[in-house]
Amino acid sequence: MTKPLNLTEKILLDHLVGGDRLPPAGEPITIRIDEAFTQDATGTMCMLQLEAMGVKRVKTFSVNFVDHSMMQVGFRNPDDHRYLESVSKKLGIVYSPPGTGICHFLNIENFVKPGTTGVGADSHTVNAGGMGALYFGAGGYDVALAMATGNYTLPMPKVVRVELVGSLRPGVMAMDVILKMLDTVGVKGGKGIIFEYGGPGAATLTLNERATITNMGAEMGATTSIFPSDEQTLKYLESRRRPDDYRPLAADDGAGYADVIEIDLSSLQPSIAIYPSPGNVEPIAEHVGEKIDQVCVGSCTNSSFFNIASFAEMLRGKRVAVETLLYPGSRAVELQLAEAGYLTSLLYSGVRVMESGCGACIGQGGSPPSKGVSLRTFNRNFPKRSGTPDAQVHLVSPMVAAASALTGRITLPEQQVEIREVPQVDDMAAFVYPPDQAEAETVEVVRGPNIMALPDFDPLPGRIEAEVLLKLGDDISTDDIQPAGVYLPLRSNVKEYAMQATFRPVDETFSERAVAVRDAGGMGAIVGGENYGQGSSREHAALCPRWLGIRTVIVKQFARIHVANLVNFGIVPLTFADPADYDRIAQGDHIAIDVSDLEGDLVLEVNGERIPLQPAFEAKDIPVLKAGGALPYFKQTHRG
Ligand code: MIC
Ligand code: SF4
C-alpha cells in the first residue's frame, strides 16, 4: 500500500522538478509554478530585474496587479503604472489596472485553481491557500526568476495539521480564527511551516472565510497555509462562473504531520490584536468601552462581499459615530454591494467608501489623527505603518468594526446578521491581456523619469570590515527597515528610496551615516534580535540597505522571505551561534568577518573578542553571495 499523503505533499509531488521524492524539512526543493504575480509596489523592481535578465517572454502564467500605490499625487505613480502596463504587454503578462482590486482578492476571484502552485511578490500571496492551492510570498527577484524559468526553490517546510471542529457562533468571524492561531503560535511560530487546515470545522467555512485565515498565516511567519478543496470550493467557483476549475482535494486518511493543533470553532470569541503587533491577541471583552477615533474596513484579509455586507447590515439605518473608511476587495465586490443596495446604505450611514485597493493598510491615505486609535480589519498593526507615528492600530473582525463604528468605542457585536445575497459580478473585462509574441516585440516600454536603472553591485570581498551602524531589538519588521506609506512612490528609484526612508522609523540619521561610511570606502553592518525582517516581502528592505553600503546583517533569527532577499542583494545574513553574544556588540563597534570561505566556520572579530556565527544562508546561496547578489550571479551564469 502506498504511504498516505497530506495535501501539501500531494501538490508538491505533483509539481516537483527533478526526482520523485520530497527532500527532508529544511533542504531546498524546486517546484513548477503555475502562476507568478506582482503588485505595483514590488512589480516595477521585479520587472526591471526581468528585463535585466534578458527575458523576452515569461514562461509561466503571470499577472502584474496595481493596487498599492494609487494616490497619483504627481507623476511617479502614474509613470510606474504606465511602465507596468507596457512592460506587461512586452513580456506576455496580464495587467490589472488600478481600481480593479487588491491583488490577492482578485487572484482568488479570477485566477487561482485548486491543486496549483503560485509565487507572488507580496507576503500575503498565501491568501490563495483558501482555494486549496500552494502559494508562496517571495521577493521580486525570486518572482522574476519564477516568471523566467517557471520554477521556484524554497526550503522544504514541515507540515502542521490544524484540526478544526465545531462551527463559529454568531458574532464570531474567520478573523477570530486566525487571531486564535496567532495567539497560539505567535508571530514567529510559523517559520518553516505549512499549516494544513482540515476537519469537520473546516467544512463549515466558506472559501472567503478560509482565505481570511490563510492570508494571516503571513503574520505567523508561516511558509504558507492551505485548506482542502471541497463542496465549499465548488460553491465559490460556481458563483464565480468557473465550475470547470474545480477539483476535489484532501489529505489521505492517516497522513503524517509534524504536529497537530486543534481548534474548536464553537469555543471562539471575538478577539482583538492590540497595537503594535498582530500577535498581541486578547478577547474583545477585555477592551469593551475603550474610545476609538477611526474604523477602517477592507484589506486583502477582510474585504469579501460577505464581510462588507455583514458590516453594512449592522450599520443599516444608523449613522457611524467616528470616521469610518471602507476599502472593498475588488470592483466586482463594489458592484455586488451596489446591486444588493449596500453601497447606498453605507453612504447613508456616513461611511467613506474608498476605491478598492490597499489604501490605508499600506499608509496610502486614511491615516488616523495624532495619538489616535484606529480599529482595522487589516492584518498588520506595526508601529508607524498607518502613517501617524503616535497612533495606535488594533486589528478586529468586520462585525467588531461595525459595532464599534456605531458607538465610537470598542463594542462587542451582539446581533445575528442576515445578509442580502445577490449573484457575484464578473469584472474580467478589466484585465489587459498581452498580445501575441510577434506583436509584443513591437511594444515600446515606457519609462518615466523616476524609474531609475538598477544599480550594479560589486562581488563580495574576502573580508567584511564594517561599522555596526545600527543595533536593533526583536521583531524588527520590513516597515521599520524600509517603510511604505508616503515613500511608496519611490519604489522604482533606489537612490531616493534609500536616502529618504531606510530605517527612518527607528533612526532618522541612518541613511546619511551609512552613505558617509560607504563614500569613505567603508562598509556597514546591522545587528538585530529575533524575527528580524518580519512582515512584508518587499525586497527594497535588502536592496536599499545594500545600496547604502550594508554588507552583513547579524541577528538572533531571521524571517523567511527577508533572508532570501538579503541573499539576492548580496548582503551576508548571519546569526549568532549563541544568542547571548548579541550583548557583546554595541552600535558603533568595528567588526571584521573573514568571508573568503563561506562554507567554513564564520567568526566575528570585535573589540579583541571572537564570536562564533552561523550562516543564515544555504549552500546554494554561496555563489550568489560571492557574485554580489542574484542578478550579477544570473548574468555570470547565463553569459551568451
Ligand atoms: C504589505 O502588506 O506590507 C505589502 C505592502 O503588501 C508588502 C509588499 C510591499 O511592501 O510591497 C507585503 O506584504 O509583501
Ligand atoms: Fe495590500 Fe494590505 Fe494586503 Fe499588503 S496587507 S497586500 S498592503 S491590503
Side-chain angles (χ1 to χ4, degrees):
M1 224 193 81
T2 48
K3 177 177 163 269
L5 297 174
N6 60 44
L7 180 50
T8 304
E9 289 166 337
K10 287 187 186 182
I11 302 179
L12 288 177
L13 280 170
D14 206 26
H15 288 79
L16 198 59
V17 175
D20 54 7
R21 275 166 184 273
L22 298 176
E27 293 294 311
I29 169 171
T30 301
I31 54 168
R32 194 170 37 77
I33 286 295
D34 298 312
E35 182 195 356
F37 73 89
T38 77
Q39 36 83 352
D40 52 314
T42 54
T44 53
M45 206 41 77
C46 176
M47 291 299 112
L48 288 169
Q49 296 180 91
L50 203 54
E51 288 188 288
M53 288 174 187
V55 170
K56 295 271 177 292
R57 202 164 175 91
V58 293
K59 279 227 178 97
T60 190
F61 172 72
S62 304
V63 190
N64 283 325
F65 296 94
V66 177
D67 55 358
H68 279 63
S69 201
M70 311 203 301
M71 303 267 275
Q72 292 178 216
V73 182
F75 63 96
R76 291 184 178 87
N77 286 165
D79 281 5
D80 276 358
H81 302 166
R82 190 174 53 178
Y83 167 66
L84 285 172
E85 178 162 10
S86 57
V87 81
S88 299
K89 282 191 180 139
K90 181 107 197 158
L91 300 179
I93 301 171
V94 178
Y95 174 69
S96 171
T100 315
I102 306 175
C103 55
H104 310 300
F105 201 82
L106 289 172
N107 211 24
I108 218 157
E109 268 184 352
N110 301 294
F111 302 123
V112 185
K113 300 176 190 157
T116 61
T117 58
V119 57
D122 191 284
S123 60
H124 293 103
T125 300
V126 295
N127 188 69
M131 181 69 86
L134 276 184
Y135 270 58
F136 308 94
Y141 176 83
D142 287 325
V143 174
L145 199 63
M147 288 180 173
T149 63
N151 296 336
Y152 174 58
T153 302
L154 73 159
M156 177 68 198
K158 289 192 280 189
V159 186
V160 170
R161 166 92 172 176
V162 185
E163 181 72 13
L164 300 178
V165 297
S167 57
L168 294 174
R169 286 182 295 123
V172 183
M173 302 188 85
M175 180 67 165
D176 300 306
V177 180
I178 189 61
L179 289 178
K180 172 72 185 173
M181 278 294 287
L182 267 153
D183 191 28
T184 311
V185 171
V187 289
K188 56 177 195 285
K191 188 162 182 204
I193 291 174
I194 294 187
F195 289 107
E196 198 172 302
Y197 291 84
T204 68
L205 298 171
T206 64
L207 188 125
N208 284 130
E209 289 177 316
R210 294 171 179 190
T212 295
I213 295 170
T214 54
N215 177 288
M216 280 185 78
E219 276 52 66
M220 301 185 284
T223 300
T224 193
S225 309
I226 188 166
F227 271 84
S229 170
D230 56 13
E231 288 299 307
Q232 295 278 6
T233 322
L234 177 61
K235 199 168 146 198
Y236 178 83
L237 285 168
E238 277 172 348
S239 73
R240 298 295 317 159
R241 295 170 203 87
R242 303 203 278 138
D244 295 345
D245 287 343
Y246 176 66
R247 94 180 224 230
L249 276 171
D252 292 334
D253 287 342
Y257 293 94
D259 205 350
V260 181
I261 297 174
E262 189 178 299
I263 295 185
D264 179 358
L265 298 178
S266 359
S267 73
L268 299 183
Q269 48 180 320
S271 301
I272 183 167
I274 296 288
Y275 175 86
S277 166
N280 287 342
V281 179
E282 293 173 17
I284 284 284
E286 288 176 17
H287 292 271
V288 165
E290 288 172 18
K291 225 178 123 309
I292 56 169
D293 301 282
Q294 186 193 52
V295 168
C296 294
V297 174
S299 91
C300 54
T301 316
N302 278 305
S303 56
S304 66
F305 176 78
F306 172 76
N307 280 321
I308 301 174
S310 308
F311 172 78
E313 200 58 66
M314 287 174 66
L315 259 49
R316 188 202 284 280
K318 302 181 187 129
R319 188 113 192 146
V320 292
V322 286
E323 176 180 72
T324 303
L325 304 167
L326 169 71
Y327 299 85
S330 67
R331 188 188 288 115
V333 166
E334 267 175 297
L335 286 164
Q336 203 183 347
L337 290 167
E339 302 277 339
Y342 285 128
L343 210 47
T344 312
S345 76
L346 283 163
L347 291 170
Y348 274 116
S349 295
V351 173
R352 293 176 62 186
V353 180
M354 314 298 279
E355 186 177 23
S356 72
C358 300
C361 179
I362 194 60
Q364 292 294 288
S367 296
S370 289
K371 295 200 168 37
V373 175
S374 180
L375 222 51
R376 300 181 165 196
T377 68
F378 304 169
N379 48 35
R380 290 188 173 145
N381 56 351
F382 299 141
K384 304 188 184 175
R385 184 173 161 101
S386 70
T388 305
D390 57 4
Q392 300 203 358
V393 171
H394 309 314
L395 309 175
V396 296
S397 75
M399 285 176 73
V400 172
S404 308
L406 289 172
T407 58
R409 292 177 183 277
I410 296 178
T411 304
L412 263 173
E414 264 152 19
Q415 70 265 53
Q416 176 125 22
V417 274
E418 287 289 328
I419 64 164
R420 186 180 301 163
E421 293 284 359
V422 293
Q424 293 218 23
V425 175
D426 182 355
D427 188 32
M428 284 302 277
F431 298 112
V432 181
Y433 278 82
D436 63 25
Q437 185 147 8
E439 196 190 325
E441 276 166 22
T442 67
V443 170
E444 194 204 334
V445 177
V446 195
R447 282 167 236 274
N450 184 51
I451 301 180
M452 180 184 146
L454 286 172
D456 280 331
F457 291 134
D458 52 351
L460 186 68
R463 197 171 156 82
I464 294 178
E465 291 191 6
E467 179 180 335
V468 177
L469 289 169
L470 267 185
K471 182 170 178 192
L472 302 159
D474 290 345
D475 294 325
I476 290 295
S477 76
T478 52
D479 280 306
D480 295 315
I481 306 171
Q482 201 61 41
V486 290
Y487 305 110
L488 260 197
L490 302 177
R491 285 281 173 106
S492 315
N493 189 324
V494 178
K495 177 177 172 218
E496 287 302 320
Y497 197 19
M499 287 311 296
Q500 293 188 36
T502 306
F503 283 117
R504 189 127 303 221
V506 288
D507 181 344
E508 291 193 355
T509 67
F510 177 80
S511 302
E512 286 77 16
R513 290 193 293 117
V515 155
V517 169
R518 183 196 72 181
D519 291 352
M523 302 177 210
I526 306 290
V527 170
E530 300 279 352
N531 201 20
Y532 180 88
Q534 70 162 332
S536 134
S537 69
R538 64 189 71 145
E539 61 187 344
H540 297 80
L543 167 57
C544 292
R546 175 68 206 274
W547 188 85
L548 291 165
I550 302 300
R551 298 307 296 250
T552 183
V553 177
I554 309 151
V555 302
K556 293 184 188 167
Q557 188 225 354
F558 284 103
R560 177 186 71 91
I561 304 177
H562 186 59
V563 84
N565 286 335
L566 289 173
V567 169
N568 285 347
F569 290 98
I571 296 182
V572 184
L574 298 165
T575 53
F576 294 102
D578 176 1
D581 284 338
Y582 167 87
D583 296 326
R584 291 161 71 189
I585 307 183
Q587 187 161 317
D589 278 351
H590 287 268
I591 61 164
I593 309 169
D594 183 343
V595 285
S596 54
D597 175 12
L598 288 174
E599 274 163 57
D601 288 343
L602 292 164
V603 174
L604 183 149
E605 299 159 39
V606 62
N607 306 324
E609 295 188 68
R610 290 172 64 78
I611 297 179
L613 298 172
Q614 274 173 351
F617 50 85
E618 295 165 30
K620 70 169 176 48
D621 299 329
I622 294 178
V624 177
L625 286 169
K626 291 210 153 167
L631 201 54
Y633 178 67
F634 184 91
K635 288 183 182 162
Q636 266 175 23
T637 46
H638 289 75
R639 219 175 273 145

